[in-house]
Amino acid sequence: MDAEVLVVGAGIVGVSVAVHLVQRGRKVMLLDRRGPGEETSHGNAGLIERASVVPYGFPRDLATLLRYAGNGQTALRYDWRALPTFLPWLARYWRESAPARLARASRDMLPLIAHSVIEHDRLIERAGLSALVKPGGWMEAFRTEAAFQGRLAVCERLAAAHGLAMRALDRDGLQRAEAGLGPGFIGAIHWMDPKSVVDPGQLTRGYARLFQSLGGTLATGEATQIAHRGGTWRVHTAGGELAARELVIAQGPWSMELIGPLGYRIPLKAKRGYHMHYAVASGATQSVPIADCEIGYVVAPMQRGLRLTTGVEIARPGSAPSPIQLARAEGWARDVFRLGRRLDDAAWMGARPCTPDMRPVIGPAGRHPGLWFAFGHNHHGLTLGPASGRLLAEMMTGTGPYVDPRPYSPARFG
């Protein structure tokens, strides 16, 4: 065999699984068609989101639904041609976002969220990556008083219930905290427990180097097919076949391409998103990521400049990128964030792997011995990578898992 465990997918989740397994004495190979952290893990807003105690649910109020239906919003854009395949998934997502079901999802996700910063800190210290991570949290910024006050009431309850550190900033307070902002926001909610990453891709690659330093093997190749024969998992690539006793699928939005032929029907969809980097204009300093909550985008300070990340695009798999959503967000962001010139030749586009019940898929496949899943983190892959990696590694090595794994079981989908 090439390894005891073969992990397919070197995004933040797969790398974290591999690190935790090799720390527990397993001989591990990590396989990806590209380098570590070069897909979805590269292009996010860089948040280790300790304060995200409520998953991103589907809007249920009529006014918001009507706005989205018009397809002119920045937070969500859809391609009409993609709707036939997305509608059943969206209907289930809407159903799971009902208040009682969303509350259950929040309770189920809280143990992983609560450990997100802790588990990152452990890997960051061991890998020597503290220069890539900043304390200070992030902000939700608002353009109208009604939206600000409505959200503030919700956030105050969440902070009190979960012991989260937050503060409300009026216009003057926001200006003192972020003097580089232009006019546009009337206030903000500052969540102080999360941390931000100035280069998420580089953080993932740093974890991969830690994996190698601990004895793990990093391999490049695209897994095209998996099969179980004679107690061994075989992974076919263009460069040949790899073999391992156990196999972990951590390919994010592409996971179903490998496990679908084995009969698994997990409802996994990819929500697309874009980012662009901008030069920092004179005086336009920014200390933490800021979400323009009423419009639907985030601007985060990164090593390369200011990174603008868009909301959700629903499109057909493999369809060409569209400039529409980024252009909308840039139009709103340019003056308030004082964006300088574009620094990238083209917008980066990525795919966020999402399940309709807003929980990741972590655990044994169920019908095939030695097959394990770790994907579907619903916008929180960077946040939950190390916490998920620890959980799966503990399950695979027979250690009592540090959180209850049942809410994330693949078996919930049949």
Side-chain angles (χ1 to χ4, degrees):
M1 292 187 293
D2 296 285
E4 291 178 324
V5 183
L6 178 59
V7 180
V8 180
I12 186 65
V13 175
V15 169
S16 296
V17 170
V19 169
H20 277 283
L21 283 170
V22 80
Q23 283 179 329
R24 287 160 175 79
R26 292 296 182 89
K27 180 184 176 184
V28 184
M29 175 178 286
L30 179 61
L31 174 70
D32 200 291
R33 62 185 179 183
R34 303 178 67 179
E38 293 189 15
E39 295 279 4
T40 308
S41 297
H42 169 76
N44 51 70
L47 287 171
I48 304 173
E49 232 309 50
R50 171 64 183 88
S52 186
V53 293
V54 179
Y56 296 130
F58 195 97
R60 293 179 65 87
D61 63 286
L62 183 59
T64 301
L65 290 173
L66 289 175
R67 287 199 303 272
Y68 285 162
N71 209 18
Q73 300 298 300
T74 302
L76 171 68
R77 178 188 174 270
Y78 58 88
D79 183 340
W80 288 95
R81 295 167 294 182
L83 290 183
T85 58
F86 262 88
L87 281 176
W89 187 93
L90 290 171
R92 186 167 180 178
Y93 182 23
W94 180 84
R95 179 172 177 266
E96 295 288 346
S97 299
R101 292 176 179 270
L102 186 61
R104 281 200 299 273
S106 298
R107 290 193 297 270
D108 288 344
M109 290 304 301
L110 185 59
L112 289 180
I113 292 290
H115 284 86
S116 59
V117 172
I118 297 168
E119 294 303 326
H120 266 287
D121 281 349
R122 289 171 175 166
L123 295 188
I124 289 164
E125 180 179 6
R126 189 160 189 184
L129 299 171
S130 59
L132 294 175
V133 184
K134 300 191 305 180
W138 69 288
M139 294 184 186
E140 300 181 42
F142 297 87
R143 295 173 179 266
T144 66
E145 192 68 30
F148 180 34
Q149 294 302 325
R151 177 61 177 162
L152 179 58
V154 173
C155 291
E156 286 175 337
R157 291 195 296 271
L158 291 174
H162 299 288
L164 300 171
M166 61 147 285
R167 59 174 178 163
L169 302 172
D170 60 14
R171 190 193 305 269
D172 292 339
L174 177 58
Q175 193 62 40
R176 287 193 295 272
E178 295 289 350
L181 292 177
F185 296 134
I186 57 89
I189 297 165
H190 185 186
W191 296 100
M192 292 175 280
D193 295 297
K195 293 185 177 182
S196 59
V197 181
V198 297
D199 190 330
Q202 187 61 28
L203 183 76
T204 305
R205 290 187 284 277
Y207 289 171
R209 290 193 296 273
L210 172 63
F211 163 71
Q212 290 178 288
S213 74
L214 295 171
T217 301
L218 187 63
T220 302
E222 182 171 5
T224 57
Q225 184 182 8
I226 60 175
H228 192 241
R229 297 195 302 271
T232 301
W233 281 97
R234 309 282 177 172
V235 178
H236 297 273
T237 75
E241 187 178 81
L242 299 172
R245 185 166 62 246
E246 294 183 281
L247 178 64
V248 178
I249 303 300
Q251 278 210 137
W254 302 280
S255 296
M256 292 307 299
E257 295 177 7
L258 290 178
I259 66 175
L262 298 182
Y264 294 94
R265 297 293 179 262
I266 295 171
L268 187 73
K269 288 291 186 183
K271 301 177 187 175
R272 298 204 316 193
Y274 300 84
H275 83 226
M276 173 62 67
H277 290 99
Y278 300 83
V280 180
S282 177
T285 57
Q286 184 177 327
S287 61
V288 299
I290 299 175
D292 188 340
C293 289
E294 292 175 79
I295 305 302
Y297 64 88
V298 177
V299 174
M302 296 278 173
Q303 284 184 333
R304 182 164 168 74
L306 292 177
R307 176 183 289 184
L308 187 157
T309 63
T310 70
V312 170
E313 181 184 62
I314 293 174
R316 295 175 299 169
S319 61
S322 166
I324 296 174
Q325 196 173 34
L326 180 65
R328 288 174 181 169
E330 185 181 301
W332 285 100
R334 184 166 291 284
D335 291 338
V336 69
F337 289 97
R338 299 178 180 175
L339 300 180
R341 62 183 178 85
R342 287 187 171 194
L343 297 178
D344 303 325
D345 294 334
W348 178 90
M349 183 185 77
R352 305 152 175 143
C354 298
T355 60
D357 67 357
M358 294 160 284
R359 299 161 178 87
V361 180
I362 306 171
R367 297 196 299 273
H368 294 82
L371 180 61
W372 303 82
F373 297 158
F375 54 79
H377 284 74
N378 300 277
H379 297 258
H380 288 309
L382 178 66
T383 293
L384 297 176
S388 298
R390 175 184 170 185
L391 175 59
L392 187 63
E394 288 176 345
M395 296 172 71
M396 294 179 66
T397 57
T399 308
Y402 77 107
V403 300
D404 184 357
R406 287 176 294 181
Y408 325 118
S409 172
R412 71 187 192 269
F413 296 118

